[in-house]
């Protein structure tokens, strides 16, 4: 593995998130290899308006509910982490609750003592963690889930699978289980499946969260870094640090 200008794969959606990720990686002194592994298909659904708490889990969700003109009314608006909170504020919503731990389990812990008997609306993608709903229901909440969008693998992705298969990938930053799954699907679709997995396991693999780490392990991917915070910046910094 080269330690001079290492190549680091990033799989964020093809919008300002991939642009920001590329800029950050460049600042960290590595060569970004952008390869979006998630595309958004909106469902046109909107959150219910009769809940006492409304949970949003992503920047995409925040933007979609704003575009739809949804109003939270008297509900407490909950963001799963600071990135989602910032996105909600940027489109005009007040944010009432952000957990100290930026995960589904962290949000459950934050809300557990106050949602017994309350109606909680969870608005997110079709790949949301079961931990959030089951945890809130265990705390006594009446939960309803609205699927705002579906996450699919973009057409034509997989250039980083070629890099991995050729031994030219030094690190990869996976932000969700789905990005791991889609990377390997893209590799297989390009005929690089086995070689790409071997190449990936020869690189530094960083992931956000234990669920992503578990998915990666189940799929034969060796994880080197689980970021200490569930943000891309922390993931990128800690993954690049592992290259030094």
């Amino acid at each position: 593995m080269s330690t001079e200008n290492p190549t680091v794969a990033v799989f964020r959606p093809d919008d300002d998130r991939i642009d920001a990720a590329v800029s950050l990686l460049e600042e960290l002194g590595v060569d970004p290899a952008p390869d979006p592994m998630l595309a958004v298909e909106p469902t046109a659904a909107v959150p219910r308006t009769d809940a006492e708490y409304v949970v949003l889990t992503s920047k995409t969700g925040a933007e979609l509910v704003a575009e739809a003109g949804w109003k939270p009314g008297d509900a407490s608006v909950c963001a799963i982490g600071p990135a989602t909170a910032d996105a909600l504020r940027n489109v005009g919503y007040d944010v009432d609750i952000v957990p100290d731990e930026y995960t589904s389990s962290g949000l459950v812990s934050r809300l557990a003592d106050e949602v017994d008997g309350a109606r909680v609306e969870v608005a997110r993608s079709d790949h949301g963690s079961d931990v959030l709903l089951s945890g809130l229901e265990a705390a006594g909440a009446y939960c309803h889930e609205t699927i705002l969008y579906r996450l699919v693998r973009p057409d034509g992705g997989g250039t980083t699978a070629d890099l991995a298969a050729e031994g030219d990938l030094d690190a990869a930053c996976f932000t969700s289980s789905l990005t791991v799954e889609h990377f390997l699907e893209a590799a297989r679709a390009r005929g690089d499946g086995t070689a790409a997995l071997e190449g990936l396991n020869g690189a530094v693999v960083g992931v956000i969260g234990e669920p992503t780490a578990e998915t990666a392990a189940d799929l034969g991917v060796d994880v080197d870094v689980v970021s200490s915070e569930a943000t891309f910046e922390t993931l990128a910094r800690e993954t690049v640090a592992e290259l030094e």
Side-chain angles (χ1 to χ4, degrees):
M1 181 181 67
S2 171
T3 57
E4 185 176 359
N5 296 323
T7 300
V8 180
V10 56
F11 309 108
R12 307 231 70 191
D14 191 11
D15 53 26
D16 58 340
R17 282 168 288 188
I18 197 85
D19 296 336
V22 165
S23 295
L24 174 60
L25 289 169
E26 288 174 342
E27 290 173 11
L28 294 174
V30 300
D31 291 336
D35 191 10
M37 283 294 163
L38 296 176
V40 173
E41 289 185 350
T43 64
V46 294
R48 291 173 59 168
T49 57
D50 60 350
E52 294 155 81
Y53 297 82
V54 178
V55 174
L56 278 299
T57 64
S58 69
K59 176 180 183 290
T60 299
E63 293 171 347
L64 288 174
V65 297
E67 290 170 8
W70 172 79
K71 303 295 184 185
D74 295 329
S76 294
V77 176
C78 310
I80 201 165
T84 304
D86 288 345
L88 285 163
R89 295 185 185 108
N90 288 342
V91 293
Y93 294 105
D94 292 328
V95 179
D96 301 293
I97 295 171
V98 182
D100 292 332
E101 179 189 334
Y102 313 145
T103 63
S104 294
S105 58
L107 186 55
V108 168
S109 296
R110 170 61 180 82
L111 294 175
D113 292 337
E114 57 186 270
V115 295
D116 189 13
R119 294 185 300 278
V120 179
E121 172 75 353
V122 177
R124 58 184 186 175
S125 80
D126 63 329
H127 283 83
S129 168
D130 292 337
V131 169
L132 187 55
L133 292 180
S134 61
L136 291 172
E137 288 169 351
Y142 298 100
C143 293
H144 178 267
E145 181 181 35
T146 295
I147 302 302
L148 300 174
Y149 57 99
R150 298 183 181 88
L151 291 170
V152 299
R153 181 165 64 86
D155 294 333
T159 55
T160 55
D162 294 344
L163 289 175
E166 294 159 5
D168 293 331
L169 189 66
D170 296 301
C173 295
F174 292 101
T175 54
S176 68
S177 293
L178 207 53
T179 55
V180 180
E181 294 168 1
H182 285 178
F183 173 88
L184 295 175
E185 287 174 10
R188 290 192 293 270
R190 298 167 79 91
D192 289 339
T194 300
L197 180 58
E198 291 176 355
L200 185 62
N201 284 336
V204 172
V205 174
V207 304
I208 286 181
E210 289 299 336
T212 306
E214 291 170 7
T215 297
D218 289 344
L219 294 173
V221 176
D222 298 330
V223 173
D224 302 288
V225 176
V226 180
S227 62
S228 59
E229 286 189 347
T231 64
F232 181 78
E233 180 172 356
T234 300
L235 172 64
R237 291 186 182 279
E238 293 178 354
T239 301
V240 170
E242 191 71 14
L243 285 166
E244 297 175 355

